[in-house]
Amino acid sequence: MTGLVVALTVGANLLVGACIGLTGIAGFLLPIFYVGLLGLAPVEALALSFSAFVVSGLLGAPAYRATGDLPLRRCATLSGGSLVGAVVGVLVGLSLPSTVLTTSLYVVVLLSGASVLLRAGRAGGEGSEGTPDVGAAVLVAVGAATAAVCAATGAGGPVLVVPVLMLLGFSPRRAVAVGLLNSVAIAVPSAVGYFVGGAVSAQGLALLGPAIVAHGVGVVAGSRGAARVDQRALKVVVALGSVAVAVWRLLPAL
């Protein structure tokens, strides 16, 4: 493992962590960095990415709790379904051939980026502070379904969970807050599952420490600067970049 690989890993995790701290999204960029730029096997990429998502969820959610934007009871119900869905997703991810898993990753990234663009382009709605009366069964089902997709493809968590919660009536800030904390319920079983069930190389293990530390620093820095950054513009930049990369990687397979 070269110093350049470590430096790139640290830089990518700082950047993605900062974007998550600022907007709650961008985690889906980590797997494509590991696969597309470093050339790691998909299982290694998912193991490293989900380890970082544990950190971003734990560090990013308290700021929203402090402002009253994190309904813990609803989040706990959603996360109960996510724990089950994540286990199913890991089993699916480990059973897929690497080419299928890689293609699935880029398809989900493409759809996630397009979803972010559509939401960012909508006028209004950012100031709503509602928390809807959604039944526990609905939240469990949403948690299980989104976690299964996230765990199987490395899409993160908030980028899929947040749009669904907003459709159910959650305000944008509360949807992001719930999505961040819920991502821990997805990331813990996913990281453990891919490390235990996959053939993670010595290089992948060596990158784990620098990646987690850099990711945590990025999340903390991003959350502190959230009030001073145009989050809608940043989301558009992140989404455009992810769509461009996904299309570029998918074109040879068409």
Side-chain angles (χ1 to χ4, degrees), residues 86-116:
V87 173
V88 174
V90 170
L91 294 175
V92 172
L94 289 173
S95 67
L96 292 175
S98 60
T99 54
V100 175
L101 187 57
T102 302
T103 301
S104 301
L105 166 63
Y106 286 122
V107 169
V108 172
V109 168
L110 176 62
L111 296 177
S112 300
S115 171
V116 172

Side-chain angles (χ1 to χ4, degrees), residues 183-220:
S183 67
V184 178
I186 300 172
V188 170
S190 298
V192 172
Y194 283 116
F195 270 115
V196 173
V200 179
S201 67
Q203 179 184 18
L205 292 174
L207 290 174
L208 179 61
I212 288 179
V213 172
H215 196 78
V217 171
V219 170
V220 172

Side-chain angles (χ1 to χ4, degrees), residues 4-251:
L4 177 60
V5 171
V6 176
L8 288 173
T9 300
V10 169
N13 276 276
L14 278 171
L15 180 60
V16 173
C19 287
I20 292 175
L22 286 167
T23 69
I25 65 169
F28 56 89
L29 294 176
L30 271 185
I32 65 175
F33 160 75
Y34 287 123
V35 173
L37 188 58
L38 295 191
L40 297 184
V43 169
E44 286 186 291
L46 294 179
L48 289 171
S49 298
F50 280 116
S51 298
F53 298 155
V54 174
V55 175
S56 56
L58 290 175
L59 293 181
Y64 288 93
R65 180 62 179 170
T67 59
D69 290 310
L70 180 57
L72 289 179
R73 183 172 61 85
R74 305 287 175 81
C75 186
T77 303
L78 181 76
S79 297
S82 295
L83 285 171
V84 177
V87 173
V88 174
V90 170
L91 294 175
V92 172
L94 289 173
S95 67
L96 292 175
S98 60
T99 54
V100 175
L101 187 57
T102 302
T103 301
S104 301
L105 166 63
Y106 286 122
V107 169
V108 172
V109 168
L110 176 62
L111 296 177
S112 300
S115 171
V116 172
L117 285 174
L118 289 174
R119 296 202 320 274
R122 292 175 184 169
E126 294 295 332
S128 175
E129 292 299 333
T131 301
D133 186 18
V134 180
V138 174
L139 289 175
V140 169
V142 168
T146 53
V149 175
C150 291
T153 64
V159 75
L160 295 183
V161 175
V162 170
V164 176
L165 292 180
M166 290 176 64
L167 286 175
L168 292 175
F170 281 77
S171 69
R173 281 188 59 82
R174 294 191 179 184
V176 170
V178 171
L180 274 173
L181 188 55
N182 177 69
S183 67
V184 178
I186 300 172
V188 170
S190 298
V192 172
Y194 283 116
F195 270 115
V196 173
V200 179
S201 67
Q203 179 184 18
L205 292 174
L207 290 174
L208 179 61
I212 288 179
V213 172
H215 196 78
V217 171
V219 170
V220 172
S223 62
R224 290 180 177 176
R228 301 189 296 271
V229 174
D230 186 338
Q231 294 194 18
R232 179 172 295 182
L234 183 59
K235 287 179 181 179
V236 169
V237 172
V238 171
L240 286 174
S242 64
V243 168
V245 170
V247 169
W248 170 55
R249 301 295 294 185
L250 287 170
L251 280 178

